[in-house]
Amino acid sequence: MNTSSARPIVLCLSGHDPSGGAGLQADIEALMAQGCHAAPTVTALTVQNSIDVSDFRVLDAAWVLAQADAVIRDLTIAGIKLGMLGSVEMVDTVVQIIRRLPGIPVVCDPVLRAGGGGALGKDEVGYAMRERLLPIATIATPNLPEARILAELPNGTPDQCAEKILPFCQHLLITGGHGDENEVHNRLYSHDGSISSFTCERLPGSYHGSGCTLASALSGRLALGENIKLAVETALAYTWRTLRDADRPGAGQHFPRRLPLDFCA
């Protein structure tokens, strides 16, 4: 039996979605599709489905630290992906974990709203992430509504939000798709002043877990050693395909198809 593994391991600090459309299941599937292994640490439990979130509970900090410590002691971590944290205390807990893994690429998905619009943390959680997590992250991946919270600009454009957020982070990917335009514009801003735009066809319908899918795929590409621009481009292309092939298992949003039907065949 071959006991060695060439798969990069990504530590995922995210919430659990019992519907399986978003959260840690999205992380696991998206990372598997990149050829990586997900090490999922649960930060919060949610009550949600394809329609919306109705409640959530943030786990005790000691439990989260214990989960992460057990993994870090045993496995070689090549990347870190952050999802729903839910409280300022959990932000501080995750900062402690990241500082134990210096030099590891960190993708911060500031999950503050569910796809159906329900809150997954107060705005103060977003501000704590901006000031404490973004400075030690490699890249943040907010959608435009989340970027507006981070920037404290309720009606800000992507460029305006980026101007407010970039002083806190190395790279910022603001994803589009929240307007009525025929094409979706995703913009990568870097601390050196460079801006890259990635455009894709707008797909019909709404999707549950698209942000988790993108951030996880991106963390996998970085763990594999890709540079930031190529990793973003690859992750965006992969995410678009998962949405193109999405299905609708419930009465609400579509779920991305992150693994091909013959993945385990």
Side-chain angles (χ1 to χ4, degrees):
M1 181 176 65
N2 183 7
T3 58
S4 65
S5 173
R7 291 182 298 164
I9 297 169
V10 177
L11 177 66
C12 301
L13 297 145
S14 305
H16 171 60
D17 170 8
S19 78
L24 285 169
Q25 182 164 325
D27 298 347
I28 294 166
E29 292 175 353
L31 283 162
M32 286 177 66
Q34 311 312 310
C36 297
H37 175 78
T41 292
V42 184
T43 57
L45 302 175
T46 69
V47 179
Q48 63 178 308
N49 52 28
S50 68
I51 300 171
D52 204 359
V53 58
S54 58
D55 202 0
F56 69 89
R57 177 174 297 179
V58 179
L59 267 62
D60 182 80
W63 270 93
V64 177
L65 287 170
Q67 292 178 77
D69 284 346
V71 171
I72 292 169
R73 285 197 304 268
D74 183 46
L75 307 179
T76 300
I77 305 301
I80 302 170
K81 184 268 179 181
L82 311 179
M84 178 191 173
L85 303 183
S87 72
V88 173
E89 181 184 21
M90 189 53 59
V91 171
D92 292 335
T93 301
V94 168
V95 168
Q96 292 182 54
I97 295 168
I98 293 174
R99 293 199 184 281
R100 296 175 189 176
L101 295 164
I104 302 298
V106 178
V107 176
C108 179
D109 180 18
V111 178
L112 301 171
R113 296 288 184 272
L120 289 169
K122 297 180 180 179
D123 289 358
E124 66 185 34
V125 178
Y127 306 152
M129 295 178 77
R130 178 189 65 194
E131 296 177 12
R132 302 173 204 174
L133 272 179
L134 295 197
I136 59 175
T138 306
I139 184 170
T141 62
N143 57 36
L144 183 55
E146 291 164 340
R148 286 170 172 164
I149 294 172
L150 295 174
E152 300 183 70
L153 294 173
N155 299 302
T157 66
D159 287 350
Q160 290 170 336
C161 292
E163 184 178 359
K164 294 287 187 178
I165 301 170
L166 262 183
F168 297 94
C169 60
Q170 298 178 51
H171 303 283
L172 174 68
L173 176 64
I174 299 181
T175 57
H178 292 82
D180 297 325
E181 65 274 11
N182 292 326
E183 293 184 322
V184 175
H185 297 273
N186 304 291
R187 297 172 174 87
L188 173 64
Y189 303 86
S190 296
H191 201 69
D192 62 7
S194 62
I195 302 174
S196 300
S197 183
F198 305 88
T199 304
C200 62
E201 175 190 350
R202 185 183 183 88
L203 297 167
S206 60
Y207 303 90
H208 181 57
S210 57
C212 303
T213 303
L214 172 62
S216 299
L218 177 54
S219 67
R221 303 319 301 182
L222 293 174
L224 287 163
E226 291 185 356
N227 66 59
I228 193 74
K229 187 174 180 180
L230 177 59
V232 167
E233 185 174 18
T234 307
L236 283 169
Y238 163 76
T239 302
W240 186 86
R241 292 194 300 272
T242 71
L243 303 185
R244 178 198 62 191
D245 299 336
D247 52 19
R248 192 179 183 216
Q253 296 179 306
H254 290 72
F255 287 7
R257 190 182 294 276
R258 289 173 283 260
L259 296 172
L261 290 174
D262 61 350
F263 186 80
C264 294

